[in-house]
Amino acid sequence: QVQLVESGGGLVQPGGSLRLSCTASGSISRLVVMGWYRQAPGKERELVATMTGGGDTNYADSVKGRFTISRDSTKKTVILQMASLKPEDTAVYYCNLLTALRNYWGQGTQVTVSS
């Protein structure tokens, strides 16, 4: 059974930075896709950024140039480095792991951008 444990998040002022981390436990293929999604109040969950085991990345247009996704050498930890944060980035951020058989989600971590 795969579990995703997230850390990071919190309250930051506009223009600030935050780092989110997510580590997968259990046996997973190095080829799986890991990434981050977010859901703001009253809105649907949306993609933020994903990364394949081979290093290919995909970013939402709204975060390009501000957010950076990376994975460690084990491929079990995915990091989202967020910079130049805006109030519209406020949301619950969810870690995601996608395999050929199943879609896994973390419990979510709150990111609030406010002065």
Side-chain angles (χ1 to χ4, degrees), residues 2-6 22 35-38 45-46 93-97 102-108:
V2 174
Q3 289 187 326
L4 302 176
V5 178
E6 300 156 343
C22 172
W36 294 90
Y37 289 69
R38 67 186 181 188
R45 192 172 297 188
E46 63 177 6
Y93 284 69
Y94 295 91
C95 178
N96 176 261
L97 188 156
R102 212 182 138 173
N103 205 9
Y104 296 91
W105 293 97
Q107 78 280 6

Side-chain angles (χ1 to χ4, degrees), residues 3 14 16-18 20 30 37 39 43 54 58 61 81-82 87 95 99-100 103-104 106 111-114:
Q3 289 187 326
S17 299
L18 277 177
L20 304 182
R30 296 168 69 88
Y37 289 69
Q39 188 167 17
K43 294 188 177 181
N58 183 37
D61 288 342
Q81 184 66 48
M82 304 183 291
C95 178
T99 73
N103 205 9
Y104 296 91
V111 172
T112 302
V113 184
S114 175

Side-chain angles (χ1 to χ4, degrees), residues 7-115:
S7 63
L11 174 64
V12 65
Q13 292 186 343
S17 299
L18 277 177
R19 180 178 182 269
L20 304 182
S21 177
C22 172
T23 297
S25 63
S27 178
I28 64 170
S29 166
R30 296 168 69 88
L31 299 177
V32 301
V33 180
M34 292 188 75
W36 294 90
Y37 289 69
R38 67 186 181 188
Q39 188 167 17
K43 294 188 177 181
E44 293 187 353
R45 192 172 297 188
E46 63 177 6
L47 179 146
V48 177
T50 61
M51 188 175 216
T52 69
D56 293 328
T57 59
N58 183 37
Y59 291 93
D61 288 342
S62 59
V63 307
K64 284 180 181 177
R66 301 188 297 121
F67 292 10
T68 303
I69 190 170
S70 61
R71 289 171 71 170
D72 72 344
S73 58
T74 69
K75 306 299 183 185
K76 287 190 171 185
T77 295
V78 61
I79 304 292
L80 185 68
Q81 184 66 48
M82 304 183 291
S84 302
L85 283 160
K86 305 174 181 179
E88 51 263 45
D89 294 317
T90 296
V92 177
Y93 284 69
Y94 295 91
C95 178
N96 176 261
L97 188 156
L98 179 64
T99 73
L101 297 177
R102 212 182 138 173
N103 205 9
Y104 296 91
W105 293 97
Q107 78 280 6
T109 185
Q110 178 70 45
V111 172
T112 302
V113 184
S114 175
S115 55

